[in-house]
Amino acid sequence: MILDLHKVKKVFGIGETAVTAVNDIDLEVKQGEIVLIMGPSGSGKTTLLSIAGGILHPTEGEVKIKGKNITRLSEEELPKVRLENIGFIFQSFNLLASLTALENVEVAAWLGGNKDAAKKAAEVLSVLGLKDRLNNLPADLSGGEKQRVAIARALVNDPEIVLADEPTANLDSKMGHEVVMQLKKIAKDHNKSVLIVSHDNRIRDIADRVLWLEDGKFKELAKMVIDPVCGMSIEKRDYKYLYKDKEFYFCSPGCMKEFKGNVDQYPNTSTL
Amino acid sequence: MVSIARKNLFAEKPRFLVTSLGVAFSVLLILFLLGIYTAFSNMATSYLKSTGADIIVAQKGAKSMTHTFSILDKNKIGLVESISGGEAYGLVARTTNVLVTEEDGTKIVDFPGRKKGENIKGKKAQVSIIGFDINSYIGGPKVILAGAASPGDGEIIVDKVFARQNDLWIGDQIEVFDKVLTISGITEKQNVLIYSRGFMELSEAKEIFRDRNSVNFILVKLADPSQAKTIADRLDKQIDGISAYETNEFAKMNGEEITNNFLPIILVITIIGFLTGAVVVGLTIYTSTLEKIREYGVLKAIGATNKQLFFIVLEQALWFCGVGLIAGLFLTWIVTSVATEVVPVIMAEYNLSIYMIVVALTLLMSILASFVPIKRISGIDPATIFKS
């Protein structure tokens, strides 16, 4: 098992203001597996990803990476764990603005102790199709290129698992598709585990498992449906409308009203 | 390895230049003041060290030629000579106002020996008249830049700064009390901020001050200078009313008298200059750290340690201070050249110790300037980078 979260709980604040972001979560990610975590905003997805990445300490429970318990490691010990085992891909790319594409990746390689950091960085970027963009600053790259640089940075130290936070959120559909394919390659061609947090339904196509996180807990996927109006994944308990003997569910009264007014425009819903 | 600090700095050249310029001005302020301090410290002692005498005898208790007054009966010259076994010469050293005569002959009035109320068109200047034995040349000026080395009757050798300040040169005249003296030579390094030394023949100096029976100091030249301490002690014990010093000891006391008064002022201004530089760099680095806080968070998230991030900040500070230091040295060279040309009284001397002090202060400036930004970085939560 590459990543193993056992009964993980995270509470922010204390007393009456305490908020439980993640509650009693169990999650195992195998080698080469792509796990997609979906859920509404504020459901605890990012908190869970931070805990899995050794960036945030859980309030309760255990986090193991390749069998090593990192739950109680100190702030001085965790950077090494992250460098050696985890690659991060962020929603807003988070490249260093004054460094070129090559340098952004080189820095990560250097931090990882690679003696030939620049060469290694150039190799990884070339594999990702950025051979001609090595010396470009992030400002001169397209969104898709930026995300590929971020992917190269995540991969340059050959981590066991890649954690991606909304990797397609700031990309148009074409770029987003490219990135999704790259994530698939990471898992299937390089046998890396990939844990993705996203709202993007396109990623479901490449995921080995899709988990639904809501209110800090994983919920049964069978109960999830898609709002026919806005396309959002929602529980089967909210705003319900029966039309021609078929049940439709909506995220809000607004979507339901829209549906009722233009019912012929919308195709059938599908269960997740 | 790519330097993130350097890349960040050069990505914003105007800020880098402005901050480095701030450091440069701090360096200029500190270095220039220390240079002035050194020049005047040296000048306060250089004359005494170069008199050619091994022992200086003064009235009992007199410890300097600048701020204490010394009167010795001229008969003591022979006594000193016989006890020391060396050659002894009298020296007149008195600071007074002199009158610089204008070309149209008008003169200023408010200096000793003249009535007030006459035309005021000339210039007044302070000169320490040194009357020395021109035959032995003990106590005479070491360097002659122009003119004659030995002043004759009615002649005086003046410092080049004094000459430039008063637009004088060889052949021009100044007036001391009612005696008109012609400038016969130009010397250097005899300007001690508040007065300038003028050298003339001993007996003429005594005549000017209407004091034929005394001198201010006695200079002793020994056959064996290594005996100076022993002989000075002997003179001290055997002659009433005098204090005898080795020349270097007397020079040191003179120097301290001036520098001890001057040093606190220099020190305060140096501290202000240092703090100004540190604040300029500190503020810039702090601002740029805040601007890049997310990037530091990213680095922390992907595995950079606090120590590695601290070095980025420190390197930035060192770049600012390093470039500022070089620019400051260059600025100091320009300012010194221009200032000493435009304002002759200003003199600055630089030596290795001063440069080392400035380099050390600049280094300290970098470390201090990094302190607050480093504290800020250590508090960054890498989890914040997940917030878009």
Side-chain angles (χ1 to χ4, degrees):
Chain A
M1 200 62 60
I2 296 300
L3 177 68
D4 184 3
L5 271 64
H6 181 63
K7 299 221 173 287
V8 165
K9 183 177 184 179
K10 182 67 186 176
V11 180
F12 293 106
I14 49 168
E16 288 181 3
T17 58
V19 175
T20 304
V22 171
N23 198 1
D24 214 19
I25 290 280
D26 286 311
L27 173 67
E28 291 180 344
V29 182
K30 294 181 216 128
Q31 186 157 19
E33 188 183 21
I34 301 176
V35 176
L36 171 64
I37 299 175
M38 302 185 85
S41 296
S43 60
K45 300 188 299 292
T46 301
T47 303
L48 185 63
L49 201 69
S50 302
I51 291 170
I55 284 176
L56 206 59
H57 284 290
T59 310
E60 288 173 20
E62 280 186 350
V63 181
K64 289 180 183 171
I65 291 177
K66 276 175 76 184
K68 184 185 177 183
N69 193 334
I70 66 160
T71 319
R72 302 294 160 216
L73 291 184
S74 68
E75 293 303 326
E76 286 72 37
E77 293 166 306
L78 280 170
K80 190 168 184 283
V81 172
R82 295 200 288 266
L83 269 175
E84 290 175 356
N85 300 290
I86 305 164
F88 289 96
I89 299 169
F90 307 103
Q91 178 180 347
S92 43
F93 321 124
N94 282 323
L95 300 177
L96 274 59
S98 51
L99 268 55
T100 63
L102 178 69
E103 289 163 346
N104 263 285
V105 183
E106 187 188 342
V107 165
W110 175 76
L111 287 170
N114 196 315
K115 286 176 183 164
D116 212 350
K119 192 179 167 195
K120 175 75 177 168
E123 277 172 19
V124 179
L125 283 164
S126 298
V127 168
L128 289 167
L130 292 168
K131 194 177 178 181
D132 298 329
R133 311 290 273 162
L134 299 182
N135 296 315
N136 285 77
L137 290 170
D140 302 325
L141 299 173
S142 68
E145 287 171 329
K146 283 180 198 169
Q147 196 58 298
R148 274 189 280 161
V149 174
I151 292 171
R153 182 175 64 186
L155 294 177
V156 75
N157 289 324
D158 203 21
E160 296 297 336
I161 185 165
V162 172
L163 305 184
D165 181 34
E166 301 281 5
T168 56
N170 286 334
L171 302 173
D172 61 29
S173 63
K174 185 170 173 280
M175 300 276 192
H177 181 72
E178 262 181 41
V179 168
V180 169
M181 288 302 112
Q182 290 291 353
L183 293 172
K184 186 181 177 184
K185 273 179 97 174
I186 291 169
K188 303 308 167 195
D189 297 357
H190 302 279
N191 203 26
K192 306 285 177 199
S193 306
V194 181
L195 178 61
I196 307 166
V197 157
S198 180
H199 286 102
D200 190 345
N201 276 312
R202 292 171 299 183
I203 301 178
R204 289 175 55 212
D205 299 338
I206 63 155
D208 297 308
R209 271 194 293 154
V210 180
L211 303 169
W212 183 262
L213 189 71
E214 193 167 339
D215 298 330
K217 287 189 164 187
F218 286 133
K219 301 215 166 166
E220 204 179 319
L221 279 166
K223 290 183 181 172
M224 307 305 299
V225 289
I226 290 177
D227 181 327
V229 176
C230 67
M232 200 170 150
S233 295
I234 51 169
E235 279 191 284
K236 259 186 178 179
R237 65 172 185 192
D238 298 323
Y239 304 98
K240 183 176 149 187
Y241 178 60
L242 199 66
Y243 178 70
K244 291 184 180 173
D245 297 330
K246 207 165 173 158
E247 288 178 345
F248 292 89
Y249 292 88
F250 305 91
C251 69
S252 63
C255 278
M256 190 159 75
K257 192 178 170 191
E258 170 73 24
F259 183 84
K260 284 178 182 172
N262 305 284
V263 72
D264 296 333
Q265 288 180 19
Y266 297 102
N268 292 341
T269 60
S270 62
T271 303
L272 280 168
Chain B
M1 173 53 209
V2 59
S3 161
I4 297 172
R6 187 166 47 83
K7 283 277 182 174
N8 281 345
L9 291 176
F10 291 120
E12 290 206 51
K13 290 187 183 75
R15 173 154 59 187
F16 178 67
L17 289 175
V18 168
T19 307
S20 298
L21 206 60
V23 177
F25 277 106
S26 289
V27 168
L28 164 68
L29 182 63
I30 295 168
L31 192 56
F32 192 51
L33 279 171
L34 291 176
I36 290 172
Y37 174 75
T38 306
F40 284 106
S41 299
N42 289 342
M43 235 159 278
T45 59
S46 64
Y47 165 67
L48 290 167
K49 285 179 180 171
S50 67
T51 53
D54 301 308
I55 294 171
I56 294 176
V57 178
Q59 184 179 338
K60 192 159 191 70
K63 289 184 175 177
S64 90
M65 204 175 266
T66 313
H67 289 125
T68 52
F69 197 72
S70 166
I71 292 279
L72 296 167
D73 192 289
K74 70 173 183 181
N75 295 331
K76 283 201 164 70
I77 297 173
L79 194 56
V80 166
E81 199 160 58
S82 63
I83 293 171
S84 67
E87 301 165 28
Y89 303 95
L91 186 85
V92 166
R94 288 186 180 188
T95 304
T96 185
N97 286 330
V98 299
L99 184 71
V100 178
T101 309
E102 293 288 289
E103 282 181 7
D104 64 358
T106 52
K107 298 164 184 177
I108 62 161
V109 291
D110 61 337
F111 75 96
R114 280 193 178 272
K115 280 190 242 172
K116 291 194 175 183
E118 294 180 24
N119 291 337
I120 304 176
K121 280 196 174 177
K123 289 183 198 167
K124 186 178 71 172
Q126 279 240 306
V127 170
S128 174
I129 298 291
I130 305 286
F132 70 103
D133 179 78
I134 58 168
N135 296 319
S136 65
Y137 215 76
I138 301 289
K142 191 87 171 171
V143 178
I144 297 296
L145 298 175
S150 294
D153 284 349
E155 290 180 341
I156 189 166
I157 296 170
V158 296
D159 182 80
K160 72 168 181 185
V161 173
F162 174 82
R164 281 184 56 197
Q165 272 183 310
N166 296 289
D167 198 21
L168 296 168
W169 198 243
I170 292 164
D172 290 337
Q173 293 183 321
I174 62 170
E175 197 173 322
V176 184
F177 291 104
D178 54 356
K179 179 83 176 173
V180 175
L181 300 168
T182 303
I183 295 169
S184 62
I186 305 290
T187 184
E188 67 171 359
K189 297 189 176 179
Q190 301 298 342
N191 190 60
V192 194
L193 197 61
I194 48 173
Y195 63 81
S196 178
R197 294 192 186 96
F199 295 86
M200 56 194 301
E201 202 275 319
L202 178 63
S203 58
E204 191 155 31
K206 287 160 82 172
E207 196 66 41
I208 284 174
F209 292 111
R210 310 273 197 277
D211 189 359
R212 297 175 187 86
N213 297 318
S214 59
V215 291
N216 298 108
F217 299 92
I218 298 169
L219 307 183
V220 185
K221 174 81 180 158
L222 298 173
D224 180 6
S226 67
Q227 295 298 308
K229 174 72 180 151
T230 314
I231 293 171
D233 289 346
R234 193 187 303 158
L235 290 170
D236 236 6
K237 281 177 192 164
Q238 294 185 15
I239 305 174
D240 284 341
I242 65 134
S243 291
Y245 307 96
E246 282 181 275
T247 301
N248 282 345
E249 184 192 358
F250 192 71
K252 192 179 165 201
M253 289 190 297
N254 264 264
E256 282 171 355
E257 198 167 50
I258 290 177
T259 55
N260 285 352
N261 292 323
F262 204 25
L263 193 59
I265 301 166
I266 295 290
L267 201 64
V268 167
I269 301 175
T270 300
I271 290 169
I272 292 170
F274 170 75
L275 290 177
T276 306
V279 167
V280 167
V281 180
L283 207 62
T284 306
I285 295 180
Y286 186 64
T287 314
S288 82
T289 302
L290 288 185
E291 284 171 9
K292 300 273 180 191
I293 206 86
R294 191 175 179 84
E295 294 192 356
Y296 285 112
V298 171
L299 287 169
K300 226 171 174 176
I302 65 175
T305 60
N306 274 338
K307 196 175 158 191
Q308 285 165 324
L309 300 182
F310 295 168
F311 276 112
I312 294 173
V313 173
L314 187 61
E315 190 190 333
Q316 283 186 350
L318 286 170
W319 268 102
F320 281 129
C321 291
V323 172
L325 176 65
I326 292 165
L329 292 174
F330 183 64
L331 266 180
T332 307
W333 175 71
I334 292 173
V335 168
T336 305
S337 306
V338 173
T340 50
E341 191 62 36
V342 176
V343 189
V345 76
I346 291 179
M347 271 173 286
E349 284 178 21
Y350 306 101
N351 54 41
L352 188 62
S353 311
I354 295 180
Y355 289 124
M356 296 300 282
I357 289 170
V358 172
V359 169
L361 285 177
T362 314
L363 202 63
L364 189 64
M365 214 183 269
S366 314
I367 294 166
L368 277 182
S370 312
F371 187 72
V372 177
I374 280 173
K375 288 270 286 178
R376 182 72 184 83
I377 279 177
S378 65
I380 297 174
D381 178 2
T384 55
I385 55 152
F386 283 112
K387 291 168 189 160
S388 55

Tab-separated table of all heavy atoms in Angstrom, chain B residues 235-257:
chain	number	residue	atom	x	y	z
B	235	LEU	N	64.358	63.812	33.405
B	235	LEU	CA	64.067	65.256	33.288
B	235	LEU	C	62.906	65.624	34.213
B	235	LEU	O	62.947	66.659	34.900
B	235	LEU	CB	63.699	65.603	31.846
B	235	LEU	CG	64.829	65.538	30.818
B	235	LEU	CD1	64.264	65.663	29.397
B	235	LEU	CD2	65.861	66.643	31.056
B	236	ASP	N	61.907	64.769	34.226
B	236	ASP	CA	60.729	64.976	35.067
B	236	ASP	C	61.118	65.135	36.538
B	236	ASP	O	60.587	65.991	37.256
B	236	ASP	CB	59.800	63.761	34.915
B	236	ASP	CG	58.413	64.170	34.484
B	236	ASP	OD1	58.210	65.354	34.202
B	236	ASP	OD2	57.534	63.286	34.420
B	237	LYS	N	62.028	64.274	36.971
B	237	LYS	CA	62.428	64.262	38.380
B	237	LYS	C	63.350	65.420	38.726
B	237	LYS	O	63.287	65.993	39.811
B	237	LYS	CB	63.147	62.943	38.699
B	237	LYS	CG	62.177	61.786	38.906
B	237	LYS	CD	62.936	60.500	39.137
B	237	LYS	CE	62.004	59.298	39.055
B	237	LYS	NZ	62.722	58.052	38.907
B	238	GLN	N	64.247	65.757	37.790
B	238	GLN	CA	65.316	66.690	38.143
B	238	GLN	C	64.989	68.152	37.871
B	238	GLN	O	65.664	69.038	38.377
B	238	GLN	CB	66.607	66.287	37.405
B	238	GLN	CG	67.132	64.929	37.887
B	238	GLN	CD	68.480	64.574	37.262
B	238	GLN	OE1	69.152	65.425	36.689
B	238	GLN	NE2	68.878	63.326	37.410
B	239	ILE	N	63.986	68.421	37.069
B	239	ILE	CA	63.669	69.827	36.775
B	239	ILE	C	62.271	70.150	37.300
B	239	ILE	O	61.292	69.483	36.959
B	239	ILE	CB	63.744	70.118	35.260
B	239	ILE	CG1	65.111	69.717	34.707
B	239	ILE	CG2	63.457	71.591	34.976
B	239	ILE	CD1	65.224	69.830	33.194
B	240	ASP	N	62.204	71.159	38.122
B	240	ASP	CA	60.920	71.573	38.683
B	240	ASP	C	60.052	72.218	37.606
B	240	ASP	O	60.553	72.907	36.723
B	240	ASP	CB	61.141	72.604	39.809
B	240	ASP	CG	61.636	71.915	41.076
B	240	ASP	OD1	61.441	70.682	41.175
B	240	ASP	OD2	62.234	72.609	41.913
B	241	GLY	N	58.764	72.045	37.732
B	241	GLY	CA	57.794	72.767	36.894
B	241	GLY	C	57.691	72.290	35.459
B	241	GLY	O	57.146	73.009	34.612
B	242	ILE	N	58.199	71.119	35.198
B	242	ILE	CA	58.053	70.614	33.816
B	242	ILE	C	57.463	69.198	33.808
B	242	ILE	O	57.507	68.489	34.808
B	242	ILE	CB	59.412	70.571	33.063
B	242	ILE	CG1	60.372	69.542	33.728
B	242	ILE	CG2	60.042	71.940	32.966
B	242	ILE	CD1	61.042	68.662	32.729
B	243	SER	N	56.934	68.822	32.650
B	243	SER	CA	56.562	67.425	32.393
B	243	SER	C	57.244	67.026	31.096
B	243	SER	O	57.136	67.745	30.092
B	243	SER	CB	55.048	67.282	32.211
B	243	SER	OG	54.391	67.521	33.434
B	244	ALA	N	57.986	65.929	31.157
B	244	ALA	CA	58.694	65.471	29.956
B	244	ALA	C	58.060	64.179	29.456
B	244	ALA	O	57.731	63.289	30.232
B	244	ALA	CB	60.164	65.245	30.276
B	245	TYR	N	57.860	64.140	28.157
B	245	TYR	CA	57.205	62.970	27.561
B	245	TYR	C	58.019	62.464	26.365
B	245	TYR	O	58.675	63.251	25.673
B	245	TYR	CB	55.820	63.338	27.027
B	245	TYR	CG	54.912	64.018	28.021
B	245	TYR	CD1	54.811	65.410	28.068
B	245	TYR	CD2	54.128	63.264	28.902
B	245	TYR	CE1	53.962	66.036	28.967
B	245	TYR	CE2	53.275	63.890	29.794
B	245	TYR	CZ	53.194	65.273	29.833
B	245	TYR	OH	52.353	65.893	30.711
B	246	GLU	N	57.905	61.155	26.161
B	246	GLU	CA	58.396	60.655	24.876
B	246	GLU	C	57.503	61.281	23.806
B	246	GLU	O	56.300	61.478	24.027
B	246	GLU	CB	58.224	59.140	24.800
B	246	GLU	CG	59.249	58.339	25.564
B	246	GLU	CD	58.973	56.856	25.377
B	246	GLU	OE1	58.142	56.330	26.133
B	246	GLU	OE2	59.575	56.269	24.467
B	247	THR	N	58.054	61.530	22.648
B	247	THR	CA	57.278	62.219	21.599
B	247	THR	C	55.998	61.460	21.247
B	247	THR	O	54.927	62.063	21.129
B	247	THR	CB	58.143	62.402	20.334
B	247	THR	OG1	59.281	63.176	20.715
B	247	THR	CG2	57.388	63.128	19.242
B	248	ASN	N	56.127	60.138	21.096
B	248	ASN	CA	54.944	59.366	20.708
B	248	ASN	C	53.858	59.413	21.777
B	248	ASN	O	52.662	59.437	21.465
B	248	ASN	CB	55.317	57.911	20.419
B	248	ASN	CG	55.956	57.774	19.048
B	248	ASN	OD1	55.870	58.696	18.228
B	248	ASN	ND2	56.633	56.670	18.817
B	249	GLU	N	54.284	59.413	23.030
B	249	GLU	CA	53.326	59.478	24.136
B	249	GLU	C	52.590	60.818	24.111
B	249	GLU	O	51.368	60.882	24.268
B	249	GLU	CB	54.091	59.311	25.464
B	249	GLU	CG	53.190	59.258	26.684
B	249	GLU	CD	53.987	59.378	27.985
B	249	GLU	OE1	55.229	59.466	27.926
B	249	GLU	OE2	53.361	59.411	29.053
B	250	PHE	N	53.351	61.882	23.889
B	250	PHE	CA	52.757	63.214	23.840
B	250	PHE	C	51.810	63.332	22.638
B	250	PHE	O	50.719	63.899	22.736
B	250	PHE	CB	53.870	64.270	23.753
B	250	PHE	CG	53.383	65.666	23.972
B	250	PHE	CD1	52.966	66.107	25.225
B	250	PHE	CD2	53.331	66.571	22.908
B	250	PHE	CE1	52.518	67.405	25.416
B	250	PHE	CE2	52.877	67.862	23.093
B	250	PHE	CZ	52.474	68.287	24.349
B	251	ALA	N	52.256	62.747	21.520
B	251	ALA	CA	51.418	62.770	20.304
B	251	ALA	C	50.104	62.032	20.559
B	251	ALA	O	49.023	62.483	20.158
B	251	ALA	CB	52.168	62.135	19.138
B	252	LYS	N	50.219	60.905	21.258
B	252	LYS	CA	49.025	60.111	21.540
B	252	LYS	C	48.035	60.903	22.404
B	252	LYS	O	46.820	60.901	22.151
B	252	LYS	CB	49.443	58.825	22.266
B	252	LYS	CG	48.348	57.792	22.354
B	252	LYS	CD	48.845	56.556	23.069
B	252	LYS	CE	47.677	55.684	23.486
B	252	LYS	NZ	48.013	54.782	24.561
B	253	MET	N	48.570	61.607	23.413
B	253	MET	CA	47.692	62.403	24.279
B	253	MET	C	47.008	63.506	23.480
B	253	MET	O	45.844	63.817	23.687
B	253	MET	CB	48.501	62.999	25.432
B	253	MET	CG	48.937	61.953	26.451
B	253	MET	SD	49.636	62.667	27.942
B	253	MET	CE	51.072	63.492	27.343
B	254	ASN	N	47.755	64.099	22.556
B	254	ASN	CA	47.181	65.131	21.697
B	254	ASN	C	46.052	64.581	20.852
B	254	ASN	O	44.996	65.197	20.726
B	254	ASN	CB	48.265	65.673	20.756
B	254	ASN	CG	48.890	66.937	21.292
B	254	ASN	OD1	48.496	68.024	20.933
B	254	ASN	ND2	49.842	66.774	22.189
B	255	GLY	N	46.345	63.404	20.280
B	255	GLY	CA	45.355	62.759	19.417
B	255	GLY	C	44.095	62.443	20.189
B	255	GLY	O	42.981	62.731	19.728
B	256	GLU	N	44.259	61.894	21.384
B	256	GLU	CA	43.101	61.502	22.192
B	256	GLU	C	42.258	62.710	22.570
B	256	GLU	O	41.035	62.638	22.635
B	256	GLU	CB	43.565	60.766	23.450
B	256	GLU	CG	43.951	59.315	23.150
B	256	GLU	CD	44.624	58.632	24.330
B	256	GLU	OE1	44.868	59.303	25.345
B	256	GLU	OE2	44.924	57.425	24.199
B	257	GLU	N	42.932	63.806	22.833
B	257	GLU	CA	42.206	65.009	23.229
B	257	GLU	C	41.232	65.443	22.136
B	257	GLU	O	40.122	65.888	22.413
B	257	GLU	CB	43.204	66.137	23.502
B	257	GLU	CG	42.595	67.242	24.322
B	257	GLU	CD	43.653	68.176	24.830
B	257	GLU	OE1	44.472	68.627	24.011
B	257	GLU	OE2	43.675	68.453	26.046
